[in-house]
């Protein structure tokens, strides 16, 4: 029922079904993984097959958020926090104010259990470098929608090479209408994704690979 409510964008249904599952003593991790996140994977697959539009993706991501908000206080009560798959810093590069695609990717990642630190729009290279040093994320996500801001993606990646040299390994994933695979790799990015779903898939794979390597 939780999965169905998320898939149909029924926020009230998500809230009440999650609440009922909690009252029936279902484990919160079970509710998260087998109810909420399961829906996100189904909707992601539909998007990749061009069966749904971005708006439907957004509505489902909001549904997952709604469910997570119901679960959160129960976890806090038990002195636990949400199980985190990894940490992500995300932002739109300097000179660029477009944020709908970035927000969608952020929502998708949160819905999959990642901690997402969103720096907003028009983020300078210095601010990205500071955030990476401070938060030590697994992946840094840069979004750019304008051909004029592609340069800012390059200068941000260049500025971050100093942080990489100082020992913290951060993967850089870029995306947005102004970018393509070849441009991304020429700029020195570790990954490129054309849309939010493939971005979330790529980031999930990258983090899993890094975690398997370091354990
Ligand atoms: Co602007 N704008 N805009 N705009 N705008 C575009 C991008 C444009 C293509 C319109 C056009 O002319 N056809 C054009 C860019 C042309 C170019 O450079 N090649 C353009 C322009 C020129 C401008 C201004 C310069 C206009 C002006 O003032 N003369 C100006 C620039 C302001 C600035 O940024 N400094 C401007 C302003 C604006 C608004 C503020 C009015 C508004 C933005 C509102 C906001 O974001 N809060 C806006 C909008 C809405 C658009 C369009 C119409 C829609 C963008 C959008 O949100 N799409 C856009 C035309 C279009 O795309 N049809 C346009 C929906 C969103 C889900 O898609 O963000 O592409 P998108 O995200 C996609 C993928 O790109 C990807 O995932 C999403 C899909 O799942 N993705 C990532 C995005 N980030 C990712 C990161 C990843 C991975 C994937 O990994 C890190």
């Amino acid at each position: 029922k939780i999965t169905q409510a998320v898939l149909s964008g029924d926020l009230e249904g998500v809230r009440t079904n999650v609440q009922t599952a909690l009252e029936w003593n279902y484990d919160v991790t079970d509710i998260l993984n087998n109810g909420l996140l399961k829906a996100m994977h189904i909707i992601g697959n539909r998007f990749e097959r061009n069966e749904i539009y971005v708006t439907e993706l957004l509505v489902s991501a909001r549904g997952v958020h709604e469910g997570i908000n119901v679960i959160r206080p129960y976890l806090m009560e038990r002195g636990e926090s949400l199980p985190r798959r990894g940490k992500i810093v995300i932002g739109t590069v300097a000179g660029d104010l477009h944020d709908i695609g970035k927000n969608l990717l952020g929502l998708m990642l949160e819905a999959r259990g990642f901690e997402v630190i969103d720096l907003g729009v028009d983020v300078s290279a210095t601010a990205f470098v500071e955030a990476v040093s401070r938060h030590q994320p697994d992946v840094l996500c840069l979004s750019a929608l304008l051909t004029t801001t592609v340069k800012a993606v390059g200068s941000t990646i260049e500025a971050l090479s100093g942080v990489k040299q100082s020992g913290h390994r951060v993967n850089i994933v870029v995306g947005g209408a102004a970018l393509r695979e070849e441009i991304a790799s020429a700029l020195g990015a570790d990954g490129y994704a054309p849309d939010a779903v493939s971005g979330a898939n790529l980031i999930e794979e990258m983090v899993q690979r890094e975690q398997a390597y370091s354990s």
Side-chain angles (χ1 to χ4, degrees), residues 119-169:
L119 305 182
V121 295
D122 191 17
V123 182
S124 68
T126 316
F128 276 118
V129 170
E130 277 169 12
V132 167
S133 303
R134 184 161 160 230
H135 300 291
Q136 309 264 301
D138 299 285
V139 179
L140 173 71
C141 295
L142 305 176
S143 182
L145 270 282
L146 300 168
T147 37
T148 49
T149 55
V150 170
K151 222 171 142 194
V153 175
S155 48
T156 303
I157 294 174
E158 213 176 292
L160 280 155
S161 62
V163 184
K164 282 192 174 182
Q165 277 160 17
S166 74
H168 178 63
R169 167 93 191 117

